[in-house]
Amino acid sequence: MTGQIRAAIYARFSTDMQRDASIDDQIRSCREYAARQGLTVVETYSDRAVSGASLMRSGMQKLLQDGRSGLFDVVISEGLDRLSRNQADIAQIYQTLLFADVMIETVAEGAISEMHIGLKGTMNAIFLKDLAVKTHRGLKGRALAGKSAGGLTYGYSAVNKVAANGEPIRGDRTINAEEAAVVRRIFQDYAKGLSPKKIAEALNIAHIPGPQGGNWGTSTIHGNRDRGTGVLNNELYIGRQIWNRLRYVKDPQTGKRISRLNPESDWVITDVPDLRIIDDDLWKQVRQRQGSLKSKGTGVPVWNRRRPRTLFSGLMECGCCGSGFSKIQKDSFGCSAARNKGEAVCTNKRLIKQTELEARVLDALANNLMDPEAVKVFCEAYTAERNRLAATATHNRAGIEKELASTKRDHGKLVDAIIAGVPADQVKDKMIALDDRRKDLEAKLAVADNPPAQVRLHPKMSQTYRERVAALIRGLAESEGMEEAREALRGLIEKVVLVPREEGSGLTIQLHGALASLLMLATGASTHQVARMASGAQNAKSSAVAEFQDYDIIDKLVLVAGVGFEPTTFRL
């Protein structure tokens, strides 16, 4: 080669080298190589602390762009692995530069040909895979020992220790008292009914730094329950470390890492009781609330669901077309279909002010939604359905008893296996599943043994209901418990139907109550239980209806404002 040949130098170091001076060393080595070959260096390109497993590097992208523009004739690098360690990527680099009549030479291998691309690319790919396997094996060893096998979790501090040989001991943690108090606050506030958004706002107002030192966000708190992300889903807070729940792969198009959920059989679960921050009761309360927060008919979890913006958002329905009522003006609601789809779908363009709607509905809730006659009908229907299910359970008793006996035998075999020396961790999940099934079968037998049910209306039920609704309405004006009161009140309503009056310009409001929720409140259920009902789906098979289980009859009953009560009429 002659001095007229223009050369570009490329250097890179990845995080496994951890030395910024490595870039200068590589460039110096490449310049010396260029001088020996009589090449003129016209440009240098570099990427600092970037993995060679991806092409999405600024220096590499600029080199390829300039190479296509004819800025240089040859690329010099210290070694082929500096250009890339990915077999497909190194082939793409080679083909791109070859198309632009640009050669590749390295200090280690000399002029690069197709043979180098195939051989070295394969060797580099094997190196990356082997490195990943060794790293994974080392991290698994840490996880099995109860040590940190990843980043440091909020609520804990790293413990710096040194072994006898002077090497640092990695992975030990201790509870950070200040951060642990914040974790407990988050769990307690959520269990009380506060939304992740409100919790984050309160923490930011108090100037409490988040896990990365910045502000708190909603997703940081609620995360994703299935993937174990977010403060509320981290089982380390109850002394249970789960490692290898997720794996990360690089998208070949973008170079970005994408997380994927591993099979549960691949998880490494270790008990670390000394790292417990949250007690079991509080953890269960949070889990129960998370389980009930599902969007109606979709099963969408709370972290993917928009919370209602106003007290009765999502509950209002047009009496003409059945569409929802939404905010049309700053302080007024109107039929969405009439506004968005025109008169061919709905002609109801009447509006109702938010303050007026909420005042009248709350008044009706407090005074008109516990009609004794409607409750009597419910009690009779519920009694009949409960007895039908009990009769069915009795008929199936023999099969239930047979399965229960088998379940107990299988559980006993696992206990014997542990006594014989089988590690408990290998059979723990199976034992838990069998024990849960045993409890379920015993509950079914108990139902079969119960005498015919009889549900009666307590004389003071209506009075108790009115007193508790009044307390909930007062709770809307208080910061403590406001969210729970709001959800509980929504849980008492099946829907609010707004019908244009035949005369005048007003709207008639027909308030439909969710009977199961009304009875829960009237018979002493906690406000928290009633609040959970609203979060799932307005009276649609909510897990919060502990007193009524999943009997279909509950879902079919609607209590309309009582006998002799004319629906409230608003004149606008």
Side-chain angles (χ1 to χ4, degrees):
M1 295 184 180
T2 68
Q4 299 300 315
I5 297 178
R6 300 163 300 167
I9 293 174
Y10 179 79
R12 175 187 64 84
F13 80 87
S14 56
T15 53
D16 59 344
M17 296 178 69
Q18 297 295 321
R19 197 167 70 90
D20 191 66
S22 173
I23 291 288
D24 297 331
D25 292 341
Q26 291 178 49
I27 292 175
R28 182 172 59 254
S29 175
C30 290
R31 285 189 180 278
E32 291 173 355
Y33 176 87
R36 291 195 301 269
Q37 299 297 321
L39 307 177
T40 302
V41 176
V42 296
E43 188 60 86
T44 60
Y45 303 86
S46 62
D47 287 302
R48 286 173 163 78
V50 178
S51 170
S54 169
L55 276 185
M56 302 311 293
R57 301 170 252 152
S58 59
M60 174 55 67
Q61 291 299 316
K62 184 68 165 59
L63 179 143
L64 294 175
Q65 180 182 343
D66 290 349
R68 287 189 292 265
S69 300
L71 187 63
F72 44 80
D73 305 303
V74 61
V75 171
I76 302 173
S77 186
E78 189 176 54
L80 198 59
D81 61 340
R82 294 303 88 204
L83 293 173
S84 179
R85 279 184 169 152
N86 182 282
Q87 191 171 11
D89 288 346
I90 192 63
Q92 182 179 341
I93 293 171
Y94 180 78
Q95 292 296 335
T96 300
L97 294 177
L98 183 64
F99 180 76
D101 289 327
V102 176
M103 299 176 60
I104 300 176
E105 295 191 20
T106 69
V107 177
E109 295 94 0
I112 300 300
S113 65
E114 284 84 354
M115 183 184 70
H116 291 91
I117 297 301
L119 180 61
K120 292 291 291 187
T122 300
M123 292 176 62
N124 289 330
I126 292 173
F127 169 81
L128 283 177
K129 186 174 182 179
D130 185 56
L131 180 63
V133 170
K134 290 180 179 177
T135 301
H136 190 271
R137 184 168 61 240
L139 292 176
K140 183 176 182 179
R142 281 196 203 174
L144 288 170
K147 297 178 180 291
S148 174
L152 190 64
T153 302
Y154 184 83
Y156 304 93
S157 298
V159 176
N160 296 318
K161 293 182 178 179
V162 179
N165 61 0
E167 290 292 323
I169 299 175
R170 306 183 189 279
D172 288 331
R173 296 156 294 181
T174 187
I175 294 176
N176 182 310
E178 186 175 344
E179 292 182 357
V182 177
V183 172
R184 295 189 191 97
R185 170 178 171 174
I186 291 172
F187 274 79
Q188 291 165 355
D189 286 348
Y190 185 81
K192 291 177 183 177
L194 288 180
S195 68
K197 180 180 178 181
K198 292 292 184 183
I199 295 172
E201 288 178 354
L203 293 173
N204 291 331
I205 291 173
H207 301 292
I208 297 174
Q212 303 300 323
N215 292 328
W216 288 88
T218 303
S219 61
T220 305
I221 293 172
H222 66 59
N224 184 300
R225 182 173 178 176
D226 294 335
R227 290 171 172 263
T229 60
V231 172
L232 294 174
N233 304 307
N234 195 331
E235 295 191 35
L236 188 60
Y237 295 137
I238 56 170
R240 187 169 184 255
Q241 177 178 270
I242 300 180
W243 179 79
N244 203 40
R245 188 196 297 258
L246 302 175
R247 70 183 187 279
Y248 295 87
V249 294
K250 283 192 177 181
D251 185 332
Q253 298 295 324
T254 64
K256 294 182 178 179
R257 294 207 314 161
I258 306 297
S259 65
R260 292 179 179 170
L261 190 64
N262 283 328
E264 194 167 344
S265 58
D266 291 345
W267 299 1
V268 177
I269 302 175
T270 312
D271 290 329
V272 282
D274 56 316
L275 297 181
R276 175 186 283 271
I277 292 177
I278 302 298
D279 61 58
D280 287 335
D281 289 340
L282 182 55
W283 178 263
K284 289 178 181 177
Q285 290 178 40
V286 168
R287 283 326 228 198
Q288 288 171 354
R289 184 174 181 224
Q290 285 179 322
S292 68
L293 293 177
K294 304 284 185 180
S295 295
K296 185 173 182 179
T298 64
V300 178
V302 62
W303 44 85
N304 293 329
R305 182 176 66 90
R306 291 181 62 183
R307 298 183 65 82
R309 292 189 175 185
T310 65
L311 185 56
F312 300 123
S313 291
L315 301 178
M316 295 173 287
E317 181 180 303
C318 176
C320 294
C321 67
S323 299
F325 257 57
S326 58
K327 272 286 185 73
I328 302 299
Q329 297 177 0
K330 183 178 180 180
D331 60 350
S332 300
F333 296 102
C335 175
S336 300
R339 263 67 188 177
N340 299 328
K341 299 181 180 179
E343 294 185 1
V345 175
C346 186
T347 58
N348 182 11
K349 291 193 174 182
R350 299 181 187 181
L351 304 182
I352 185 168
K353 290 188 178 298
Q354 178 182 343
T355 53
E356 209 167 359
L357 170 72
E358 292 178 354
R360 298 300 181 91
V361 172
L362 290 174
D363 180 69
L365 271 176
N367 300 302
N368 300 99
L369 272 187
M370 275 300 286
D371 174 60
E373 289 300 319
V375 175
K376 180 181 178 182
V377 171
F378 166 79
C379 291
E380 292 173 352
Y382 176 76
T383 299
E385 179 67 6
R386 183 72 180 271
N387 291 336
R388 182 188 70 79
L389 293 172
T392 301
T394 301
H395 180 71
N396 297 329
R397 182 183 182 89
I400 296 173
E401 289 179 336
K402 182 177 179 180
E403 185 181 352
L404 178 60
S406 176
T407 300
K408 288 181 176 179
R409 283 196 304 271
D410 291 343
H411 190 277
K413 291 177 182 178
L414 293 179
V415 173
D416 292 340
I418 294 175
I419 295 174
V422 175
D425 288 344
Q426 295 183 12
V427 297
K428 180 177 66 174
D429 292 343
K430 181 64 174 176
M431 291 184 69
I432 292 174
L434 287 171
D435 195 53
D436 289 342
R437 183 56 180 163
R438 175 188 61 79
K439 294 176 182 178
D440 181 50
L441 293 170
E442 289 176 345
K444 289 182 178 180
L445 286 178
V447 172
D449 292 336
N450 283 340
Q454 184 64 44
V455 181
R456 299 183 183 278
L457 178 64
H458 193 279
K460 292 187 178 181
M461 184 181 288
S462 296
Q463 178 183 344
T464 302
Y465 166 82
R466 285 193 293 271
E467 291 173 353
R468 299 195 67 188
V469 168
L472 288 176
I473 294 174
R474 290 195 298 273
L476 292 175
E478 302 172 359
S479 58
E480 182 72 20
M482 178 184 65
E483 289 293 330
E484 188 168 82
R486 174 189 172 106
E487 291 294 328
L489 286 168
R490 287 176 57 83
L492 302 177
I493 299 172
E494 203 275 330
K495 60 182 176 180
V496 179
V497 181
L498 298 110
V499 185
R501 292 189 52 150
E502 294 183 2
E503 299 178 359
S505 59
L507 283 167
T508 296
I509 292 183
Q510 296 176 351
L511 180 61
H512 295 243
L515 184 53
S517 300
L518 297 170
L519 288 176
M520 283 183 67
L521 189 69
T523 53
S526 69
T527 303
H528 180 60
Q529 283 180 295
V530 181
R532 284 165 51 201
M533 178 171 292
S535 303
Q538 295 299 320
N539 203 39
K541 283 194 176 178
S542 170
S543 61
V545 194
E547 301 299 323
F548 305 126
Q549 303 298 322
D550 288 329
Y551 302 137
D552 291 340
I553 192 69
I554 301 295
D555 298 332
K556 297 175 183 177
L557 290 173
V558 172
L559 175 62
V560 183
V563 176
F565 169 65
E566 294 299 328
T568 307
T569 301
F570 299 160
R571 292 186 179 277
L572 304 179

